[in-house]
Amino acid sequence: MGVTLATDVGGTFTDVVLTGPDGRVTVAKTLTTPDDPAEGLLRGVRTALADAGAEPGEVTRFVHATTLATNVILERTGVPVAFVTTGGFRSMLALGRQARVEEDRYDRFYAQPEPPVPLTHTFTVPERIDASGAVLTPLDEDAAEAVADQIAALGVSAVAICLLHSYLNPAHERRLAEIVSARLPDGTPVVASCDVWPELGEYERATTTLMSAYVGPVMAAYLRRLEGRLRDLGITAPVRVMESSGGVLPAALAADRAVYTIESGPAAGVVAAARLGARRGLADLVCFDMGGTTAKAGLVRGGRPGITHEFQVGGKGSYGGRRPGTGVPIKAPAIDLAEVGSGGGSIAWADAGTLRVGPRSAGADPGPACYGRGGTLPTVTDADLVLGYLAADGFGAFTLDESLARAAIEEHVARPLGVDVTSAAAAIHDIAGAQMGAAVHVVTVRRGIDPRAFTLVALGGAAPTHVVGLAERFGIGRVLVPPHAGVGSAAGLLHADLAIERARTFLAPVARLTSCSASRDAFGELADLLASLERGARADLSASGEAVVVRSVGVRFIGQAHAFTVDLPAGPVTPETVQRAAEEFYKRYHESYGIDLRDPVELTTARVRVTLPGDAPPSPRMDPVPSPCATRRIWLSGDWQDVPVRARTSHAPGETFDGPCVITEPQCSLLVPSGWHGTVDGEGAILLEARP
């Protein structure tokens, strides 16, 4: 085993984690360079290699998580795209699905967002396929050629095609793609929905296909540049990119399916939490990932992260940023996360006598006031520094200036609200905690799940400072803080498996498949479809040997629009396996909604996920490094207290400690209040438990 490098580019920080054959981990944390994300990444790579004493040529695996796809969609910086759909549906994207939530409900001047593609770049062709896949109106090839000429005249960089019911019969889409491609310069991407995500739901399928065309060229260009610059550095290992559902993809496949990478970084954090919990016998976890810009929460139940197959990019509202109709819907597998705009860099300000925190962020440039990089607005990090939770010299390569933090809080919060700086800082900290609690609330309480039986896992540079307060808010009595928690998502990439999922609509009432007269042809069709999806996924990964294959189906009540995904057992598809899937659906429906229905159900989708397990590096024991125990004055329970402060590396395996105290490491600071007891395990992870 050679050297593995894992990198996670976030909105504020870029994290780099390196591990070698002995499993020892070297960490580098640098500020993200928004204008050229690769610049900050390469700076971190060089630092990690130097600190580990490793040569670039020793790197055999390079895994990358990036927010590039998300940022391109949110900032609308993708390539010019044309969109083609079935005649009569030209206004589909312009109409969309809109939901006015939160403050927008009361905005008399609310303006509906512009569609992702203007009508000037939207075209239709005469054709029609019905819901059974039968051709009602053949594709008008003369009209298609005319549309292709119009698209060519626009000079677009990519084309997206989504025709009605092409998930059942892709013939028209494929022929139209051939006609359009012939009129465009060589290499211009023409993306068909039947190749991106062939499922029912024309609007979501259209937006997913469109975003794939919109982001794909940007992602491809970025990955080419990154690979070239890594080669210049001496790293020739193939680049793999984290996809949204917790696996990694080869760079070429990630460029072709850029929408698969939208939740790239947060997914790595949940995968890391699941693996950490599994090694400690903890199967039910809430992953709390707080970085500089946002805080995310994800659920792990029975050792498996929750997966969703539809989410919103740029969504807003009290549903963790995923309120349907408030963003761009994406149909692709992703770890189910709730996200709020509350991170260490979230800006605090007084608004008409009310304290507001986030979602505006100081970002990487200029960053919080205490960074001394020109920022003058107070942030959550500034508040935590003033309250004593962070040390001026305990933030890696960054030296924090408390005087700048106090001045920013005084000017923008304390003075306008008529309070002292300490009270203002404490209020900023508390409000940020309440907002982060909204993300945990979405993935637990709002779904009928009692979080008190779960373990809260802290990942991200700001999470350890806030995690125990968050646990107390929900009555959670156990908190796990892994080693290198400040770069937890990047550390999770070290263990990520190569994986991909394929799916296709398969509509069939369960009663027809499980009745005494059930046709073997029906099961043969489902079995053939699952086998075909598996072959396609294996081909994507070039997987010819041992792989983990998980087959599943979408199940819903007949007449409803949404389905649960239920796993199928290994082996032949039989009436019994389909009936067991239906019973699992009834169980999950009751758990989710508290309603015990036994109405008829139907299958909606066949899915196959193929995974090539990665080689997990060994986990060495942490050798304690003796260091003196200092004392620091911090704000706790409405008063200043002197508490012990120790480096995490000074704790021996099995050592215990009691709060209040502060445990420090270069990338984060763990605040342990009174009433909590901690134990350090052999890998350096800290398990905190509330005292009865």
Side-chain angles (χ1 to χ4, degrees):
M1 181 186 294
V3 170
T4 296
L5 269 172
T7 64
D8 179 23
V9 179
T12 304
F13 289 104
T14 293
D15 300 333
V16 179
V17 178
L18 178 151
T19 187
D22 61 357
R24 293 190 178 275
V25 173
T26 303
V27 172
K29 197 177 190 78
T30 66
L31 285 170
T32 294
T33 47
D35 293 337
D36 182 8
E39 182 59 37
L41 183 154
L42 291 168
R43 184 168 63 239
V45 167
R46 286 191 289 266
T47 300
L49 288 170
D51 290 348
E55 295 297 324
E58 297 178 55
V59 177
T60 57
R61 190 167 185 254
F62 188 96
V63 190
H64 184 32
T66 174
T67 57
L68 178 67
T70 306
N71 294 340
V72 167
I73 295 173
L74 294 178
E75 299 167 7
R76 299 206 171 194
T77 55
V79 301
V81 177
F83 177 70
V84 189
T85 188
T86 299
F89 287 78
R90 184 166 180 250
S91 298
M92 174 172 55
L93 294 176
L95 292 172
R97 291 197 176 95
Q98 296 297 321
R100 293 175 63 167
V101 300
E102 309 299 359
E103 68 274 8
D104 289 343
R105 290 192 183 103
Y106 313 104
D107 185 358
R108 294 192 303 162
F109 303 100
Y110 174 80
Q112 181 171 308
E114 291 294 319
V117 173
L119 283 176
T120 56
H121 285 52
T122 302
F123 303 89
T124 64
V125 293
E127 67 84 36
R128 194 62 178 264
I129 291 172
D130 70 13
S132 69
V135 176
L136 296 180
T137 303
L139 175 67
D140 187 333
E141 296 203 4
D142 291 337
E145 290 176 356
V147 164
D149 289 336
Q150 294 177 62
I151 292 173
L154 290 174
V156 297
S157 300
V159 179
I161 299 173
C162 181
L163 305 180
L164 256 62
H165 303 301
S166 62
Y167 57 88
L168 290 175
N169 184 349
H172 288 183
E173 272 196 1
R174 297 203 187 285
R175 178 57 185 148
L176 179 57
E178 291 175 359
I179 293 171
V180 172
S181 294
R183 298 295 200 280
L184 299 177
D186 290 344
T188 303
V190 177
V191 183
S193 73
C194 60
D195 295 323
V196 175
W197 203 247
E199 287 194 48
L200 53 79
E202 71 277 2
Y203 176 64
E204 289 77 10
R205 186 159 42 88
T207 54
T208 303
T209 304
L210 178 60
M211 289 301 107
S212 187
Y214 185 66
V215 176
V218 179
M219 178 69 78
Y222 167 74
L223 291 174
R224 282 196 300 269
R225 291 195 304 271
L226 177 60
E227 288 178 319
R229 295 175 73 173
L230 288 171
R231 284 194 297 271
D232 292 342
L233 193 63
I235 296 175
T236 58
V239 173
R240 292 177 174 175
V241 180
M242 169 62 76
E243 47 102 33
S244 303
S245 61
V248 294
L249 300 172
L253 195 56
D256 288 342
R257 299 190 174 191
V259 291
Y260 281 51
T261 69
I262 287 173
E263 295 285 6
S264 179
V270 181
V271 171
R275 289 183 178 271
L276 289 162
R279 291 206 295 271
R280 293 160 179 82
L282 303 172
D284 295 326
L285 314 166
V286 178
C287 175
F288 170 56
D289 186 345
M290 182 181 177
T293 307
T294 60
K296 283 82 63 177
L299 207 63
V300 176
R301 301 185 74 182
R304 296 180 60 180
I307 300 292
T308 182
H309 291 87
E310 182 179 337
F311 58 96
Q312 306 278 321
V313 180
K316 63 185 298 186
S318 58
Y319 284 73
R322 295 176 179 276
R323 186 68 176 263
T326 63
V328 179
I330 301 295
K331 291 276 286 185
I335 287 180
D336 195 4
L337 295 164
E339 181 174 320
V340 293
S342 186
S346 293
I347 295 171
W349 77 100
D351 181 10
T354 301
L355 177 59
R356 303 282 296 274
V357 180
R360 291 189 301 158
S361 175
D365 187 14
C370 62
Y371 284 9
R373 295 169 52 87
T376 59
L377 299 176
T379 67
V380 174
T381 296
D382 293 305
D384 289 343
L385 178 63
V386 168
L387 297 173
Y389 306 149
L390 305 178
D393 59 351
F395 204 59
F398 302 97
T399 300
L400 307 183
D401 191 326
E402 184 179 347
S403 64
L404 294 176
R406 296 186 68 88
I409 294 173
E410 168 70 26
E411 178 180 354
H412 295 281
V413 178
R415 192 181 305 143
L417 296 180
V419 299
D420 60 80
V421 171
T422 299
S423 297
I428 293 170
H429 178 88
D430 291 344
I431 289 176
Q435 292 177 165
M436 288 177 265
V440 175
H441 191 269
V442 167
V443 299
T444 56
V445 177
R446 188 161 288 177
R447 297 177 183 175
I449 298 170
D450 185 349
R452 291 174 294 182
F454 284 68
T455 300
L456 189 60
V457 183
L459 299 171
T465 305
H466 294 259
V467 67
V468 177
L470 189 60
E472 291 178 334
R473 186 179 298 272
F474 286 92
I476 297 174
R478 186 186 296 117
V479 171
L480 177 63
V481 186
H484 312 296
V487 292
S489 288
L493 292 170
L494 296 172
H495 308 281
D497 303 325
L498 198 63
I500 194 167
E501 181 174 311
R502 281 187 168 232
R504 186 172 173 182
T505 289
F506 180 84
L507 280 172
V510 167
R512 180 165 66 85
L513 295 173
T514 57
S515 66
C516 295
S517 59
S519 169
R520 291 187 178 274
D521 291 341
F523 291 105
E525 184 182 350
L526 178 57
D528 289 346
L529 177 55
L530 291 168
S532 174
L533 293 172
E534 180 180 340
R535 287 193 298 271
R538 284 181 176 273
D540 287 337
L541 300 179
S542 300
S544 56
E546 289 293 326
V548 177
V549 179
V550 176
R551 305 176 304 167
S552 58
V553 289
V555 187
R556 70 182 181 188
F557 286 117
I558 293 175
Q560 287 196 343
H562 300 286
F564 282 122
T565 297
V566 179
D567 287 352
L568 293 175
V573 179
T574 65
E576 290 73 26
T577 59
V578 173
Q579 185 60 45
R580 282 202 295 271
E583 293 299 326
E584 178 64 21
F585 166 80
Y586 289 133
K587 176 184 174 184
R588 290 178 57 184
Y589 193 91
H590 177 74
E591 289 175 348
S592 298
Y593 302 108
I595 302 172
D596 193 8
L597 287 180
R598 303 289 298 184
D599 289 357
V601 295
E602 64 182 349
L603 304 188
T604 62
T605 309
R607 305 185 191 279
V608 173
R609 184 172 182 82
V610 174
T611 302
L612 293 178
D615 295 326
S619 298
R621 295 181 63 83
M622 299 289 290
D623 297 325
V625 179
S627 62
C629 180
T631 301
R632 188 190 305 163
R633 193 165 174 256
I634 70 173
W635 183 260
L636 276 179
S637 303
D639 198 4
W640 290 101
Q641 299 182 34
D642 291 324
V643 304
V645 178
R646 290 185 62 184
R648 178 195 283 259
T649 53
S650 68
H651 290 86
E655 184 176 345
T656 62
F657 58 88
D658 293 303
C661 65
V662 174
I663 309 297
T664 65
E665 59 182 301
Q667 294 81 35
C668 61
S669 182
L670 172 61
L671 172 63
V672 185
S674 301
W676 287 78
H677 173 77
T679 304
V680 183
D681 71 13
E683 296 179 12
I686 294 175
L687 184 67
L688 299 174
E689 294 181 293
R691 288 195 177 279

